[in-house]
Amino acid sequence: MARAVSTRRKAGYTIAAWIIGLAIFFPILWTIVTSFKTEAEAISSPPSFMFFQWTTENYSTVMERSNYFRHFWNSVVISLGSTVLGLIIAIPAAWSMAFVPAKHTKNVLMWMLSTKMLPPVGVLIPIYLIFRDVGLLDTKTGLVIVLTLINLPIIVWMLYTYFKEIPGEILEASRMDGASLRDEIIYVLTPMAVPGIASTLLLNVILAWNEAFWTLNLTAAKAAPLTAFIASYSSPEGLFYAKLSAASTMAIAPILILGWFSQKQLVRGLTFGAVK
């Protein structure tokens, strides 16, 4: 029997959720607002939130100074490429861990997760030297490989969690009907885990889109994504806050729009298998 929740408690939870949501979103909102200020108003004290002279000059300056669409296309290729490649590798790996009994499955999962605890700067020099020697430095291919390896533990962990919620009897029935291992994964397992796979894809696109450390250190000009586009507005002469905010807004706008339209699918995938 479900526990009754009083109206007052519901209202309290709702207010708390709005306060937390606004606190999380406020830095993004402040960045968007600052992008419409002049440089003088951006650094004024006390700062003004709404009552100032709104201008789109910063966006015009950013578009004239930088090739936004080239950086945007690089971000699209790198984030989608690394996510798709990660899914191709992770789906069979998560299947084997979820449905093939093994004594050390949990140890393997913990070992994979432990690689995320290593500071990226600890392996920057060897990876940089390898990429320089094999010709992958400042290429989209190199960044796709690096971001795939970085996010692969998260992809495997998420898919493993979703796959464990699928009854193994269904896969056994497909084998009895003559399905090969390939058919079992592609035509039986994958369609049943679409919500989980979709949420994994969306989350890792966001992670790859926002990755700054590797994109700034392994690119110079040709493969530079939007993170490098933002960093270009931090110069030795000082920070141009209004223009930096405009560049940041242009960089996060596509991923904000993607998250807004896919929020239902993302929530559905993240809660996949939570209620039986």
Side-chain angles (χ1 to χ4, degrees):
M1 182 177 180
R3 183 176 62 180
V5 180
S6 65
T7 303
R8 181 178 296 180
R9 180 172 292 185
K10 287 181 179 179
Y13 289 155
T14 301
I15 293 172
W18 271 101
I19 292 174
I20 294 172
L22 289 174
I24 294 173
F25 182 72
F26 183 77
I28 299 175
L29 179 61
W30 185 259
T31 299
I32 295 173
V33 171
T34 304
S35 69
F36 291 99
K37 297 180 179 180
T38 62
E39 291 295 343
E41 290 171 332
I43 61 174
S44 64
S45 182
S48 56
F49 185 67
M50 296 295 292
F51 302 102
F52 58 88
Q53 184 178 357
W54 292 67
T55 177
T56 59
E57 180 183 355
N58 297 313
Y59 290 94
S60 301
T61 303
V62 168
M63 292 297 291
E64 291 173 1
R65 172 179 166 180
S66 306
N67 190 342
Y68 169 78
F69 292 103
R70 178 172 61 84
H71 292 289
F72 170 78
W73 177 246
N74 288 342
S75 287
V76 170
V77 172
I78 292 167
S79 57
L80 288 180
S82 62
T83 300
V84 171
L85 180 59
L87 287 174
I88 293 173
I89 299 172
I91 288 176
W95 170 87
S96 65
M97 293 181 183
F99 298 108
V100 179
K103 181 179 179 181
H104 301 292
T105 295
K106 291 185 177 180
N107 293 335
V108 172
L109 286 169
M110 285 303 301
W111 170 75
M112 293 181 65
L113 189 62
S114 69
T115 61
K116 295 293 294 179
M117 304 175 189
L118 175 70
V121 70
V123 291
L124 172 61
I125 293 177
I127 289 180
Y128 181 91
L129 295 177
I130 292 172
F131 273 42
R132 183 196 63 184
D133 294 340
V134 300
L136 289 176
L137 204 60
D138 197 19
T139 63
K140 291 189 284 287
T141 302
L143 286 177
V144 166
I145 294 172
V146 166
L147 296 185
T148 298
L149 296 176
I150 289 173
N151 293 327
L152 193 58
I154 297 177
I155 301 176
V156 172
W157 260 88
M158 292 184 67
L159 292 180
Y160 170 79
T161 303
Y162 301 136
F163 290 173
K164 286 292 288 184
E165 300 298 329
I166 297 176
E169 292 79 7
I170 296 178
L171 300 182
E172 292 177 2
S174 67
R175 293 174 203 151
M176 294 179 64
D177 290 338
S180 63
L181 177 60
R182 175 179 173 275
D183 294 337
E184 177 184 330
I185 295 176
I186 296 177
Y187 299 111
V188 181
L189 178 67
T190 301
M192 293 183 65
V194 164
I197 294 174
S199 64
T200 302
L201 185 147
L202 290 170
L203 180 61
N204 282 273
V205 165
I206 294 171
L207 291 175
W209 188 278
N210 293 330
E211 176 60 41
F213 179 81
W214 291 107
T215 55
L216 292 178
N217 284 287
L218 297 180
T219 61
K222 293 187 294 183
L226 286 171
T227 48
F229 167 74
I230 297 173
S232 66
Y233 287 89
S234 175
S235 64
E237 292 81 11
L239 290 175
F240 298 93
Y241 287 104
K243 295 178 180 60
L244 180 62
S245 297
S248 299
T249 301
M250 294 172 67
I252 65 176
I255 210 70
L256 279 176
I257 295 171
L258 174 65
W260 178 265
F261 284 105
S262 60
Q263 58 181 321
K264 184 180 294 185
Q265 183 64 46
L266 185 60
V267 172
R268 181 187 175 196
L270 292 175
T271 56
F272 180 69
V275 179
K276 292 190 176 183

